[in-house]
Every structure is written in structure tokens, then in C-alpha cells.
């Protein structure tokens, strides 16, 4: 497995089960069928994915919260407690910094274990965007990340995040939803555009990875890391050498 691009394994969590994400069509997601494990239990899947990648970060999309329902607090706590050495990146449809603070409080574990992901599809305003990254004590965005979301060439961005380059934090995710769970390959053109605008950012791509060759091309385009699920469950990427 390439050492140039960090792999961050992903679990999509729906009603307490891990599901397979396909092109961002959340209503149609089904429980995961994986060559790595015969289970959709979040803790089991997370352990297998992190072991396979030798990962110290795990990205969790709480699909209940992203669709306006309560966050799956019990499942999230179980994931954090089951892997004390893993940092949890949590995408839970957060509309502003207050929602993020409230979620941290409910999880009842050290803030250093959790990186909140604020998605452009969920943030309610430009003011909310500014508030999410305004108080990082000289390390802007170190416990939070901004996901720049788009689907089928259209920005999902009521708050204007894509154009507010001066408000972008250190950690940026380029999320192309129609590539998620597809065999279409990564969206490197958009990643290159964001890299030009934010040359010093830690840039994380999402969607479309099929092979080590895709990862090599992603690195050349400016990616530091990539969010991956389907390519791991389908054994399209080799196990990390420890």
C-alpha cells in the first residue's frame, strides 16, 4: 500500500449498522457486505478496517444525523471506547459551532479524540462557517475539518463555503458524492483546484478510489490523504505492511 497518501477508512452508520455508500444516495444504502468481515456491526467493521490499513484515524458519517434525525450517540461512544488509539473524524450534519460543541459534550470523551467535520452541505450560513474555525488558539482547524461537498458538478453549499477561501481551516476534505462507492475513479480536477487555492492545507480527497494507481495519481494532484471504504471492503487495495 502506498506510503505517500494516508488512507483514512470510512464507515457510514445508519440506524446502528454500517451500510455501503453508493453515489451519495443515502435513502438506498444497504447493510455492508464485505470481504473483510461478515458483519455490519460498527465496532467489528471499524476494527477490521483500521487493522487492514494500520490506520490511526477513522471517518464516521452518521447518516441518521445527516438526514435530520438524532445522532447515534451510543454507537459513536462504542466506537471511541473500542479503539482508544484511534482519532474519530465525525460527520454528523453539523449546522454551526454550537451543534458541534453539543455533540462533543454528549460523547463524553476527550475532545482530542474527535475531529468534527463541518460539511458545506450542512452549514447554515457564512457566519456559522466563520464561527466553526475562529477559536482554534493558533492551530486553526486542528480539531475540526471543513468538507467541501459537491454532487454531479454542483456545489452543495448554501453557506458559500467554497468561495470563502479566507475562512478555510487547515484540514480540507474534497467530497465528490457521486464518486462515493462508484467505479468512476477519483475527482482529481476538483482536488487540483482546491490545492491551488489552499497550497498549505492538509487536503483529503473522498470518493472513487479503485487501486494503488488511483492513489498515486491523487498524490500527484496534491492529496495528503483519502477517505476510502468500498475499495477496502472489496480488497482492491492491499493490506498495509506493519
Amino acid at each position: 500500500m502506498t506510503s505517500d497518501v494516508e488512507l483514512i477508512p470510512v464507515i457510514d452508520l445508519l440506524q446502528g449498522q454500517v451500510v455501503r455508500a453508493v453515489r451519495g444516495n443515502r435513502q438506498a444504502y444497504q447493510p455492508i457486505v464485505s470481504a473483510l468481515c461478515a458483519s455490519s456491526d460498527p465496532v467489528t467493521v471499524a476494527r477490521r478496517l483500521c487493522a487492514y490499513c494500520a490506520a490511526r484515524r477513522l471517518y464516521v458519517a452518521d447518516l441518521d444525523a445527516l438526514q435530520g434525525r438524532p445522532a447515534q450517540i451510543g454507537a459513536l461512544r462504542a466506537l471511541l471506547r473500542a479503539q482508544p488509539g484511534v482519532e474519530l473524524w465525525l460527520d454528523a450534519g453539523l449546522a454551526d459551532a454550537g451543534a458541534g460543541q453539543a455533540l462533543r459534550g454528549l460523547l463524553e470523551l476527550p475532545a482530542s479524540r474527535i475531529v468534527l467535520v463541518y460539511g458545506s452541505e450542512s452549514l447554515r450560513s457564512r457566519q456559522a462557517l466563520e464561527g466553526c474555525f475562529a477559536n482554534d488558539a493558533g492551530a486553526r482547524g486542528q480539531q475540526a475539518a471543513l468538507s467541501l461537498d459537491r454532487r454531479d458538478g454542483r456545489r452543495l453549499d448554501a453557506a458559500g463555503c467554497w468561495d470563502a477561501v479566507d475562512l478555510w481551516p487547515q484540514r480540507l476534505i474534497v467530497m465528490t458524492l457521486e464518486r462515493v462507492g462508484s467505479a468512476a475513479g477519483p475527482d482529481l480536477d476538483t482536488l487540483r483546484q482546491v490545492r491551488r487555492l489552499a497550497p498549505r492545507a492538509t487536503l483529503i480527497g473522498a470518493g472513487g478510489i479503485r487501486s494503488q494507481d488511483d492513489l498515486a495519481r491523487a498524490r500527484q494532484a496534491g492529496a495528503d490523504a483519502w477517505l476510502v471504504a468500498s475499495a477496502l471492503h472489496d480488497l482492491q487495495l492491499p493490506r498495509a505492511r506493519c
Side-chain angles (χ1 to χ4, degrees):
M1 189 171 292
T2 181
S3 60
D4 292 333
V5 176
E6 178 187 0
L7 291 188
I8 302 177
V10 176
I11 64 172
D12 291 276
L13 196 59
L14 180 65
Q15 298 179 7
Q17 294 187 88
V18 178
V19 296
R20 183 175 287 248
V22 181
R23 301 182 185 276
N25 184 16
R26 293 166 181 153
Q27 292 77 18
Y29 290 0
Q30 297 296 316
I32 194 73
V33 175
S34 173
L36 285 178
C37 58
S39 175
S40 62
D41 171 68
V43 169
T44 301
V45 176
R47 282 176 169 159
R48 294 289 178 88
L49 286 174
C50 289
Y52 193 83
C53 297
R56 290 291 176 261
R57 295 179 176 86
L58 174 69
Y59 187 101
V60 177
D62 184 336
L63 298 173
D64 287 34
L66 281 161
Q67 295 179 90
R69 297 188 292 271
Q72 299 171 77
I73 299 301
L76 296 170
R77 286 177 182 164
L79 285 168
L80 284 159
R81 289 172 177 152
Q83 298 192 101
V86 172
E87 181 181 76
L88 188 73
W89 288 42
L90 179 55
D91 183 1
L94 300 170
D96 53 32
Q101 291 168 3
L103 183 57
R104 283 191 194 276
L106 289 171
L107 292 173
E108 298 178 345
L109 285 165
S112 60
R113 296 278 316 280
I114 303 162
V115 174
L116 295 177
V117 176
Y118 292 95
S120 67
E121 71 165 320
S122 301
L123 283 168
R124 58 179 174 79
S125 66
R126 186 183 177 106
Q127 184 178 11
L129 167 65
E130 186 171 5
C132 291
F133 303 106
N135 299 308
D136 288 312
R140 208 169 170 216
Q142 289 305 299
Q143 295 308 321
L146 174 63
S147 181
L148 297 169
D149 305 323
R150 66 198 303 270
R151 184 204 300 272
D152 299 324
R154 181 175 62 88
R155 296 174 177 180
L156 305 178
D157 189 19
C161 300
W162 280 83
D163 293 324
V165 177
D166 57 324
L167 299 179
W168 288 358
Q170 173 62 31
R171 290 170 169 172
L172 293 171
I173 298 167
V174 179
M175 177 73 71
T176 306
L177 283 165
E178 77 271 14
R179 304 284 181 112
V180 170
S182 75
D187 178 8
L188 301 183
D189 289 340
T190 303
L191 188 119
R192 290 187 189 97
Q193 293 169 14
V194 175
R195 172 54 77 200
R196 285 195 292 271
L197 293 169
R200 295 181 179 84
T202 300
L203 196 56
I204 302 105
I209 289 294
R210 303 161 296 187
S211 65
Q212 285 183 289
D213 184 59
D214 280 343
L215 288 171
R217 294 191 301 115
R219 180 58 178 168
Q220 291 173 355
D224 297 298
W226 209 276
L227 305 180
V228 182
S230 294
L232 298 173
H233 288 294
D234 297 338
L235 302 182
Q236 293 175 301
L237 298 171
R239 183 183 298 272
R241 294 190 182 95
C242 299

